[in-house]
Amino acid sequence: MSFTHTVLITGGTTGLGFQCALAIAREHPEFLIVITARTDSNSAAATINKTLRQKNVVFLPIDLSNLTTVRSFVTDWETKKYPSICTLVLNAGLQFPEGLRKTVDGIEATFGINHVGNTLLFYLLLPHLVNNVRVVVTSSGTHDPAQKSGLPDAKYTTAEELAYPAPEAAQIDGRQRYTTSKLCNVLWAYALHRRFKSVEGRSMTVNAFDPGLMPGTGLAREYSAPMRWIWTSLMPRIIPLMRALFHPNVHTPRESGESLAWLAASPDIEGASGEYYEGRKKVKSSVDSYNERYQEDLWEWTIKFTAKSPEEISRFEKAC
């Protein structure tokens, strides 16, 4: 079967990304759905195809913590001659609650994976995006101190400091690095939207998405054994109670995945851009996320760090 367009979802083999891929594949059998992650140990692509009795989902490996492999992924992509990408869901993310970890490129790992790796993938795929591409970045309500999520407040200083934290930063709760990386997701999405909006003749849409709290996903895989058990075995069973006592924005991965699929592919929001969605509801993001000085600092640092030549810097800066 020949496909009309491609939908690419990072972190698409488990949890939120898997459910998003399943929903889009069901609604759009005419699209090729490419899901990426470091591995597909649960045969996610085959499972979706078998469930839907279709053959429009494929898995491609990528390690967003290693920028060399991100580049190799795109080089390989170009040989496959897939249809142009109509939807890019930058969803992959990790959390390291204890200690300070670094990527092979020498930057702090939470920031490196959740922001830098996803962003470089976007820049490199620019030639393969359709004119009216839809880009969705998975953030989190934890980026907003006003949400009182129970996690440490996000704190943006400069991208340079987030990438290369001082030695004493090893004592900081790693969950703050996570919430700050989720703030970076929103900052970058808004910066990208402003650039798309200023280019005549383009109708691209860029939005950030908060899936809410989703007990049972792989986000807690770096937690201690007792905390992993609570997250994967106990909390998924008491979601209705958590909604009543904690916050209404608590969902199963399927519920949030279907909302992400709606934001990524539904004609209902055609043309809506530069927004932040809590599920299917457009809401305000944090005060800091609208700080254009932060947006520009992050945008400029990311391009200088990821680009390998003046030509790439110029191409990435245009982002169109």
mmCIF file with all atom_site columns, all heavy atoms in Angstrom, residues 28 35 77 80 87 118 125 146 164 227 240 286 294 304:
data_model
loop_
_atom_site.group_PDB
_atom_site.id
_atom_site.type_symbol
_atom_site.label_atom_id
_atom_site.label_alt_id
_atom_site.label_comp_id
_atom_site.label_asym_id
_atom_site.label_entity_id
_atom_site.label_seq_id
_atom_site.pdbx_PDB_ins_code
_atom_site.Cartn_x
_atom_site.Cartn_y
_atom_site.Cartn_z
_atom_site.occupancy
_atom_site.B_iso_or_equiv
_atom_site.pdbx_formal_charge
_atom_site.auth_seq_id
_atom_site.auth_comp_id
_atom_site.auth_asym_id
_atom_site.auth_atom_id
_atom_site.pdbx_PDB_model_num
ATOM 1   N N   . HIS A 1 28  ? -6.337  7.046  10.661 1.00 0.00 ? 28  HIS A N   1
ATOM 2   C CA  . HIS A 1 28  ? -5.710  7.417  9.383  1.00 0.00 ? 28  HIS A CA  1
ATOM 3   C C   . HIS A 1 28  ? -4.906  6.251  8.799  1.00 0.00 ? 28  HIS A C   1
ATOM 4   O O   . HIS A 1 28  ? -3.671  6.271  8.784  1.00 0.00 ? 28  HIS A O   1
ATOM 5   C CB  . HIS A 1 28  ? -4.799  8.629  9.581  1.00 0.00 ? 28  HIS A CB  1
ATOM 6   C CG  . HIS A 1 28  ? -5.524  9.868  9.962  1.00 0.00 ? 28  HIS A CG  1
ATOM 7   N ND1 . HIS A 1 28  ? -6.164  10.668 9.046  1.00 0.00 ? 28  HIS A ND1 1
ATOM 8   C CD2 . HIS A 1 28  ? -5.739  10.442 11.185 1.00 0.00 ? 28  HIS A CD2 1
ATOM 9   C CE1 . HIS A 1 28  ? -6.728  11.697 9.666  1.00 0.00 ? 28  HIS A CE1 1
ATOM 10  N NE2 . HIS A 1 28  ? -6.487  11.579 10.948 1.00 0.00 ? 28  HIS A NE2 1
ATOM 11  N N   . ILE A 1 35  ? 7.080   5.083  14.658 1.00 0.00 ? 35  ILE A N   1
ATOM 12  C CA  . ILE A 1 35  ? 7.313   5.278  16.089 1.00 0.00 ? 35  ILE A CA  1
ATOM 13  C C   . ILE A 1 35  ? 8.785   5.033  16.382 1.00 0.00 ? 35  ILE A C   1
ATOM 14  O O   . ILE A 1 35  ? 9.400   4.126  15.826 1.00 0.00 ? 35  ILE A O   1
ATOM 15  C CB  . ILE A 1 35  ? 6.410   4.368  16.951 1.00 0.00 ? 35  ILE A CB  1
ATOM 16  C CG1 . ILE A 1 35  ? 6.602   2.886  16.594 1.00 0.00 ? 35  ILE A CG1 1
ATOM 17  C CG2 . ILE A 1 35  ? 4.948   4.764  16.789 1.00 0.00 ? 35  ILE A CG2 1
ATOM 18  C CD1 . ILE A 1 35  ? 5.791   1.939  17.483 1.00 0.00 ? 35  ILE A CD1 1
ATOM 19  N N   . TRP A 1 77  ? 16.872  7.766  7.359  1.00 0.00 ? 77  TRP A N   1
ATOM 20  C CA  . TRP A 1 77  ? 15.523  8.165  6.962  1.00 0.00 ? 77  TRP A CA  1
ATOM 21  C C   . TRP A 1 77  ? 15.494  8.569  5.487  1.00 0.00 ? 77  TRP A C   1
ATOM 22  O O   . TRP A 1 77  ? 14.597  8.187  4.733  1.00 0.00 ? 77  TRP A O   1
ATOM 23  C CB  . TRP A 1 77  ? 15.061  9.328  7.834  1.00 0.00 ? 77  TRP A CB  1
ATOM 24  C CG  . TRP A 1 77  ? 13.705  9.870  7.485  1.00 0.00 ? 77  TRP A CG  1
ATOM 25  C CD1 . TRP A 1 77  ? 13.388  10.772 6.501  1.00 0.00 ? 77  TRP A CD1 1
ATOM 26  C CD2 . TRP A 1 77  ? 12.469  9.536  8.125  1.00 0.00 ? 77  TRP A CD2 1
ATOM 27  N NE1 . TRP A 1 77  ? 12.048  11.023 6.488  1.00 0.00 ? 77  TRP A NE1 1
ATOM 28  C CE2 . TRP A 1 77  ? 11.458  10.268 7.468  1.00 0.00 ? 77  TRP A CE2 1
ATOM 29  C CE3 . TRP A 1 77  ? 12.131  8.691  9.184  1.00 0.00 ? 77  TRP A CE3 1
ATOM 30  C CZ2 . TRP A 1 77  ? 10.126  10.186 7.847  1.00 0.00 ? 77  TRP A CZ2 1
ATOM 31  C CZ3 . TRP A 1 77  ? 10.801  8.617  9.565  1.00 0.00 ? 77  TRP A CZ3 1
ATOM 32  C CH2 . TRP A 1 77  ? 9.815   9.350  8.900  1.00 0.00 ? 77  TRP A CH2 1
ATOM 33  N N   . LYS A 1 80  ? 15.180  5.851  2.918  1.00 0.00 ? 80  LYS A N   1
ATOM 34  C CA  . LYS A 1 80  ? 13.949  5.053  2.916  1.00 0.00 ? 80  LYS A CA  1
ATOM 35  C C   . LYS A 1 80  ? 12.867  5.631  2.012  1.00 0.00 ? 80  LYS A C   1
ATOM 36  O O   . LYS A 1 80  ? 11.891  4.943  1.695  1.00 0.00 ? 80  LYS A O   1
ATOM 37  C CB  . LYS A 1 80  ? 13.405  4.898  4.346  1.00 0.00 ? 80  LYS A CB  1
ATOM 38  C CG  . LYS A 1 80  ? 14.354  4.127  5.268  1.00 0.00 ? 80  LYS A CG  1
ATOM 39  C CD  . LYS A 1 80  ? 13.757  3.956  6.650  1.00 0.00 ? 80  LYS A CD  1
ATOM 40  C CE  . LYS A 1 80  ? 14.727  3.249  7.592  1.00 0.00 ? 80  LYS A CE  1
ATOM 41  N NZ  . LYS A 1 80  ? 15.101  1.900  7.133  1.00 0.00 ? 80  LYS A NZ  1
ATOM 42  N N   . THR A 1 87  ? 2.899   15.277 10.303 1.00 0.00 ? 87  THR A N   1
ATOM 43  C CA  . THR A 1 87  ? 2.778   15.487 11.741 1.00 0.00 ? 87  THR A CA  1
ATOM 44  C C   . THR A 1 87  ? 4.028   14.976 12.431 1.00 0.00 ? 87  THR A C   1
ATOM 45  O O   . THR A 1 87  ? 4.449   13.841 12.201 1.00 0.00 ? 87  THR A O   1
ATOM 46  C CB  . THR A 1 87  ? 1.551   14.756 12.315 1.00 0.00 ? 87  THR A CB  1
ATOM 47  O OG1 . THR A 1 87  ? 0.365   15.264 11.701 1.00 0.00 ? 87  THR A OG1 1
ATOM 48  C CG2 . THR A 1 87  ? 1.450   14.956 13.818 1.00 0.00 ? 87  THR A CG2 1
ATOM 49  N N   . ASN A 1 118 ? 15.322  15.867 20.895 1.00 0.00 ? 118 ASN A N   1
ATOM 50  C CA  . ASN A 1 118 ? 14.097  16.060 20.119 1.00 0.00 ? 118 ASN A CA  1
ATOM 51  C C   . ASN A 1 118 ? 14.229  17.235 19.155 1.00 0.00 ? 118 ASN A C   1
ATOM 52  O O   . ASN A 1 118 ? 13.777  17.185 18.012 1.00 0.00 ? 118 ASN A O   1
ATOM 53  C CB  . ASN A 1 118 ? 12.915  16.312 21.063 1.00 0.00 ? 118 ASN A CB  1
ATOM 54  C CG  . ASN A 1 118 ? 12.294  15.043 21.608 1.00 0.00 ? 118 ASN A CG  1
ATOM 55  O OD1 . ASN A 1 118 ? 11.825  14.193 20.858 1.00 0.00 ? 118 ASN A OD1 1
ATOM 56  N ND2 . ASN A 1 118 ? 12.278  14.912 22.927 1.00 0.00 ? 118 ASN A ND2 1
ATOM 57  N N   . LEU A 1 125 ? 15.124  17.205 10.168 1.00 0.00 ? 125 LEU A N   1
ATOM 58  C CA  . LEU A 1 125 ? 14.017  16.722 9.329  1.00 0.00 ? 125 LEU A CA  1
ATOM 59  C C   . LEU A 1 125 ? 13.311  17.839 8.570  1.00 0.00 ? 125 LEU A C   1
ATOM 60  O O   . LEU A 1 125 ? 12.363  17.571 7.818  1.00 0.00 ? 125 LEU A O   1
ATOM 61  C CB  . LEU A 1 125 ? 12.995  15.971 10.193 1.00 0.00 ? 125 LEU A CB  1
ATOM 62  C CG  . LEU A 1 125 ? 13.414  14.588 10.685 1.00 0.00 ? 125 LEU A CG  1
ATOM 63  C CD1 . LEU A 1 125 ? 12.369  14.039 11.652 1.00 0.00 ? 125 LEU A CD1 1
ATOM 64  C CD2 . LEU A 1 125 ? 13.617  13.617 9.523  1.00 0.00 ? 125 LEU A CD2 1
ATOM 65  N N   . ALA A 1 146 ? 2.398   27.269 39.471 1.00 0.00 ? 146 ALA A N   1
ATOM 66  C CA  . ALA A 1 146 ? 1.034   27.553 39.921 1.00 0.00 ? 146 ALA A CA  1
ATOM 67  C C   . ALA A 1 146 ? 0.175   26.294 39.994 1.00 0.00 ? 146 ALA A C   1
ATOM 68  O O   . ALA A 1 146 ? -0.852  26.276 40.674 1.00 0.00 ? 146 ALA A O   1
ATOM 69  C CB  . ALA A 1 146 ? 0.380   28.567 38.986 1.00 0.00 ? 146 ALA A CB  1
ATOM 70  N N   . TYR A 1 164 ? 25.219  22.614 31.237 1.00 0.00 ? 164 TYR A N   1
ATOM 71  C CA  . TYR A 1 164 ? 26.460  22.391 31.978 1.00 0.00 ? 164 TYR A CA  1
ATOM 72  C C   . TYR A 1 164 ? 26.309  22.920 33.404 1.00 0.00 ? 164 TYR A C   1
ATOM 73  O O   . TYR A 1 164 ? 26.876  23.955 33.758 1.00 0.00 ? 164 TYR A O   1
ATOM 74  C CB  . TYR A 1 164 ? 27.622  23.094 31.281 1.00 0.00 ? 164 TYR A CB  1
ATOM 75  C CG  . TYR A 1 164 ? 27.851  22.631 29.863 1.00 0.00 ? 164 TYR A CG  1
ATOM 76  C CD1 . TYR A 1 164 ? 27.480  23.431 28.779 1.00 0.00 ? 164 TYR A CD1 1
ATOM 77  C CD2 . TYR A 1 164 ? 28.432  21.383 29.599 1.00 0.00 ? 164 TYR A CD2 1
ATOM 78  C CE1 . TYR A 1 164 ? 27.693  23.006 27.470 1.00 0.00 ? 164 TYR A CE1 1
ATOM 79  C CE2 . TYR A 1 164 ? 28.651  20.950 28.293 1.00 0.00 ? 164 TYR A CE2 1
ATOM 80  C CZ  . TYR A 1 164 ? 28.269  21.765 27.242 1.00 0.00 ? 164 TYR A CZ  1
ATOM 81  O OH  . TYR A 1 164 ? 28.477  21.334 25.957 1.00 0.00 ? 164 TYR A OH  1
ATOM 82  N N   . MET A 1 227 ? 9.189   2.986  44.854 1.00 0.00 ? 227 MET A N   1
ATOM 83  C CA  . MET A 1 227 ? 8.468   4.034  44.147 1.00 0.00 ? 227 MET A CA  1
ATOM 84  C C   . MET A 1 227 ? 7.963   3.531  42.795 1.00 0.00 ? 227 MET A C   1
ATOM 85  O O   . MET A 1 227 ? 6.856   3.901  42.361 1.00 0.00 ? 227 MET A O   1
ATOM 86  C CB  . MET A 1 227 ? 9.368   5.256  43.953 1.00 0.00 ? 227 MET A CB  1
ATOM 87  C CG  . MET A 1 227 ? 9.632   6.035  45.231 1.00 0.00 ? 227 MET A CG  1
ATOM 88  S SD  . MET A 1 227 ? 8.093   6.647  45.984 1.00 0.00 ? 227 MET A SD  1
ATOM 89  C CE  . MET A 1 227 ? 7.509   7.760  44.713 1.00 0.00 ? 227 MET A CE  1
ATOM 90  N N   . PRO A 1 240 ? -9.470  7.252  39.706 1.00 0.00 ? 240 PRO A N   1
ATOM 91  C CA  . PRO A 1 240 ? -10.659 8.051  40.059 1.00 0.00 ? 240 PRO A CA  1
ATOM 92  C C   . PRO A 1 240 ? -10.517 8.741  41.417 1.00 0.00 ? 240 PRO A C   1
ATOM 93  O O   . PRO A 1 240 ? -10.928 9.895  41.576 1.00 0.00 ? 240 PRO A O   1
ATOM 94  C CB  . PRO A 1 240 ? -11.792 7.014  40.075 1.00 0.00 ? 240 PRO A CB  1
ATOM 95  C CG  . PRO A 1 240 ? -11.324 5.940  39.154 1.00 0.00 ? 240 PRO A CG  1
ATOM 96  C CD  . PRO A 1 240 ? -9.843  5.861  39.367 1.00 0.00 ? 240 PRO A CD  1
ATOM 97  N N   . SER A 1 286 ? 2.752   28.377 32.048 1.00 0.00 ? 286 SER A N   1
ATOM 98  C CA  . SER A 1 286 ? 3.312   29.138 33.166 1.00 0.00 ? 286 SER A CA  1
ATOM 99  C C   . SER A 1 286 ? 3.701   30.558 32.759 1.00 0.00 ? 286 SER A C   1
ATOM 100 O O   . SER A 1 286 ? 3.912   30.855 31.580 1.00 0.00 ? 286 SER A O   1
ATOM 101 C CB  . SER A 1 286 ? 4.550   28.426 33.717 1.00 0.00 ? 286 SER A CB  1
ATOM 102 O OG  . SER A 1 286 ? 5.628   28.541 32.807 1.00 0.00 ? 286 SER A OG  1
ATOM 103 N N   . TYR A 1 294 ? 13.790  34.295 27.639 1.00 0.00 ? 294 TYR A N   1
ATOM 104 C CA  . TYR A 1 294 ? 14.097  32.882 27.860 1.00 0.00 ? 294 TYR A CA  1
ATOM 105 C C   . TYR A 1 294 ? 13.970  32.091 26.553 1.00 0.00 ? 294 TYR A C   1
ATOM 106 O O   . TYR A 1 294 ? 14.811  31.237 26.237 1.00 0.00 ? 294 TYR A O   1
ATOM 107 C CB  . TYR A 1 294 ? 13.140  32.281 28.893 1.00 0.00 ? 294 TYR A CB  1
ATOM 108 C CG  . TYR A 1 294 ? 13.324  32.746 30.315 1.00 0.00 ? 294 TYR A CG  1
ATOM 109 C CD1 . TYR A 1 294 ? 12.357  32.444 31.279 1.00 0.00 ? 294 TYR A CD1 1
ATOM 110 C CD2 . TYR A 1 294 ? 14.441  33.479 30.711 1.00 0.00 ? 294 TYR A CD2 1
ATOM 111 C CE1 . TYR A 1 294 ? 12.501  32.853 32.590 1.00 0.00 ? 294 TYR A CE1 1
ATOM 112 C CE2 . TYR A 1 294 ? 14.592  33.896 32.021 1.00 0.00 ? 294 TYR A CE2 1
ATOM 113 C CZ  . TYR A 1 294 ? 13.611  33.584 32.958 1.00 0.00 ? 294 TYR A CZ  1
ATOM 114 O OH  . TYR A 1 294 ? 13.758  33.988 34.258 1.00 0.00 ? 294 TYR A OH  1
ATOM 115 N N   . LYS A 1 304 ? 23.265  26.794 18.215 1.00 0.00 ? 304 LYS A N   1
ATOM 116 C CA  . LYS A 1 304 ? 24.735  26.840 18.236 1.00 0.00 ? 304 LYS A CA  1
ATOM 117 C C   . LYS A 1 304 ? 25.326  25.518 18.716 1.00 0.00 ? 304 LYS A C   1
ATOM 118 O O   . LYS A 1 304 ? 26.379  25.092 18.253 1.00 0.00 ? 304 LYS A O   1
ATOM 119 C CB  . LYS A 1 304 ? 25.205  27.993 19.126 1.00 0.00 ? 304 LYS A CB  1
ATOM 120 C CG  . LYS A 1 304 ? 24.938  29.363 18.523 1.00 0.00 ? 304 LYS A CG  1
ATOM 121 C CD  . LYS A 1 304 ? 25.350  30.486 19.466 1.00 0.00 ? 304 LYS A CD  1
ATOM 122 C CE  . LYS A 1 304 ? 25.032  31.840 18.869 1.00 0.00 ? 304 LYS A CE  1
ATOM 123 N NZ  . LYS A 1 304 ? 25.349  32.961 19.796 1.00 0.00 ? 304 LYS A NZ  1
#
